Amino acid sequence: MSSAESTSGRPRLSVVVPVHGVEAYLTTCLDSILAEPTDDVEVVAVDDASPDGCGAILDRYAAHEPRLRVVHLSANAGLGGARNAGLDRATGEYVWFVDGDDWLPPGALAAVRDRLAATRPDVLLIDHAEVFPGNRVVPRPSADALGGQPTPLRLADAPQLLRLAQSACTRIVRRGLLAETGLRFRGGWYEDVAYSHPLLMAADRIDVLERVCYHYRQQPQGRITVTRSDRHFEVFDQYAAVFAAVDAAAGRYDVFRPELFRLMVNHYLVIVGNDSRLPDTARRGFFRRAAEDCRRWLPPGGYPVPGGVAGLKHRLLQRDGYAAWAALRSVHRTLARVRRPGGPTTETAPLPQPVPLTGTETTALPTTPIH
């Protein structure tokens, strides 16, 4: 029996849990992973120099749970660095990254293990649900993402998979693929961008499990999506890494340039248009920097520009038309106040209906927020 397999014959799964400042939620996370007694799952929890009681909670669990190994970092490495530290100590054939404030719904772990054993993919994509305060659960299914195509498959067979959530937590990956490609998490915010897209492009076998196997906690505080900071400029480095991976592939990934470019523009528009992310004094500079990326990475053959207001925003960004964009944003915010008197006016740039690489219309995928 391979060291990467259990006595059940299933591939061994390493669940890497980065932990920082989540004392109130950590036991829920750990219990959801360890609830099922099985020898084919190990948990590598990384205490990322957490300032609260997370380290003590992990040590208490590890004292009674041999499947849990704890890594204590002496200095905060950030989410990407903590995941890398856990990956270094993982021994399973597959790795699943689960954030310390999220959790797995009942039956999810068994479903994932069964699917990995049945199809042995390079990457298994799973559905997730967002859980808001008050326990309001909003599923984010991948329905229609495959268009009826059988799996496992390669990304070239279903490039629309790039439009699913940019989250490492919804991708269970063969650890050998990470070793073969040298793919690691980069430092900085939006670290999932430079991990998730190159991962799918590198995979020869992608499978999709259309079942909610991950609960993503939407906290009112602590998320970068509701944090005003100049650190949102770090998203530019993440997309630079994505296109560097495309450039380094000697043409093999060129087919994905139009879709990656469209996703990048969508993401930049979400960030620049949201009151909760950028300080007002930084908005013009972010817009200008995003316009530079548009000029730098515009695919030689163009890309499918969305229609309507979304398409207008794309064109304004590419032309660095900040004044016109700001006027359009002001009109949008005014209309929002009229429709919702006294309500919030935070704008998230509307995502266009997905368009295939050929430019013809297709069935829209479910909208997944870009974080």
Side-chain angles (χ1 to χ4, degrees):
M1 181 178 66
S2 166
S3 60
E5 293 184 356
S6 69
T7 55
S8 67
R10 292 190 181 99
R12 187 168 175 80
L13 174 64
S14 296
V15 182
V16 173
V17 183
V19 175
H20 182 84
V22 293
E23 181 178 3
Y25 311 115
L26 184 55
T27 58
T28 297
C29 175
L30 295 175
D31 289 345
S32 74
I33 302 169
L34 297 167
E36 181 184 348
T38 174
D39 68 346
D40 55 8
V41 174
E42 69 168 359
V43 181
V44 182
V46 181
D47 171 17
D48 189 20
S50 188
D52 53 12
C54 285
I57 292 174
L58 293 175
D59 289 340
R60 187 168 66 248
Y61 267 73
H64 302 285
E65 176 53 75
R67 294 175 295 170
L68 173 63
R69 288 186 290 133
V70 180
V71 180
H72 294 284
L73 300 184
S74 59
N76 179 251
L79 182 56
R83 286 173 175 168
N84 288 338
L87 178 61
D88 287 340
R89 293 159 175 85
T91 64
E93 182 180 353
Y94 287 90
V95 179
W96 188 356
F97 296 101
V98 176
D99 289 349
D101 54 346
D102 299 332
W103 72 99
L104 310 183
L109 192 60
V112 164
R113 289 159 51 230
D114 288 345
R115 191 58 167 257
L116 292 175
T119 64
R120 298 281 177 154
D122 287 324
V123 179
L124 175 64
L125 301 176
I126 58 172
D127 288 349
H128 71 286
E130 296 178 347
V131 184
F132 293 84
N135 290 324
R136 182 169 63 92
V137 179
V138 180
R140 299 294 184 183
S142 59
D144 299 326
L146 293 171
Q149 298 178 82
T151 59
L153 45 67
R154 301 187 68 182
L155 184 61
D157 301 319
Q160 64 271 21
L161 292 178
L162 288 169
R163 304 173 196 169
L164 297 179
Q166 297 175 354
S167 171
C169 300
T170 58
R171 290 156 166 75
I172 294 93
V173 58
R174 183 173 62 82
R175 190 164 58 92
L177 177 63
L178 299 179
E180 293 156 12
T181 59
L183 185 59
R184 308 273 289 182
F185 289 95
R186 294 173 54 84
W189 284 9
Y190 300 103
E191 69 288 325
D192 283 351
V193 169
Y195 172 84
S196 297
H197 294 322
L199 180 67
L200 293 185
M201 290 188 288
D204 285 328
R205 291 171 58 83
I206 302 172
D207 197 7
V208 180
L209 178 57
E210 295 185 31
R211 169 179 174 150
V212 172
C213 292
Y214 194 90
H215 278 174
Y216 178 50
R217 190 185 303 275
Q218 299 293 298
Q219 300 181 65
Q221 303 295 329
R223 296 285 184 185
I224 67 171
T225 51
V226 291
T227 303
R228 274 192 161 202
S229 172
D230 287 339
R231 290 199 64 185
H232 290 284
F233 280 74
E234 293 173 16
V235 72
F236 298 122
D237 290 337
Q238 304 294 355
Y239 277 101
V242 171
F243 283 99
V246 175
D247 290 341
R252 290 182 293 117
Y253 298 165
D254 282 354
V255 66
F256 306 122
R257 287 185 188 273
E259 183 66 12
L260 290 170
F261 184 86
R262 189 181 68 84
L263 289 168
M264 179 193 74
V265 175
N266 284 344
H267 202 169
Y268 289 174
L269 287 170
V270 166
I271 296 171
V272 75
N274 195 305
D275 284 335
S276 299
R277 303 200 191 190
L278 289 172
D280 290 337
T281 55
R283 207 173 305 279
R284 177 66 183 92
F286 187 97
F287 196 94
R288 180 184 297 113
R289 179 66 178 78
E292 292 174 2
D293 276 10
C294 288
R295 291 191 293 271
R296 180 179 180 184
W297 286 309
L298 180 67
Y303 77 108
V305 181
V309 174
L312 175 58
K313 290 181 179 181
H314 274 238
R315 289 187 286 273
L316 290 174
L317 182 61
Q318 291 178 59
R319 297 169 186 171
D320 197 12
Y322 179 78
W325 174 85
L328 180 65
R329 179 173 182 263
S330 178
V331 170
H332 179 96
R333 287 155 57 85
T334 299
L335 292 175
R337 281 194 294 267
V338 171
R339 288 194 297 265
R340 295 177 292 154
T345 60
T346 297
E347 175 189 359
T348 53
L351 296 180
Q353 293 296 319
V355 182
L357 301 185
T358 60
T360 58
E361 292 187 1
T362 186
T363 302
L365 296 181
T367 300
T368 299
I370 299 176
H371 300 296

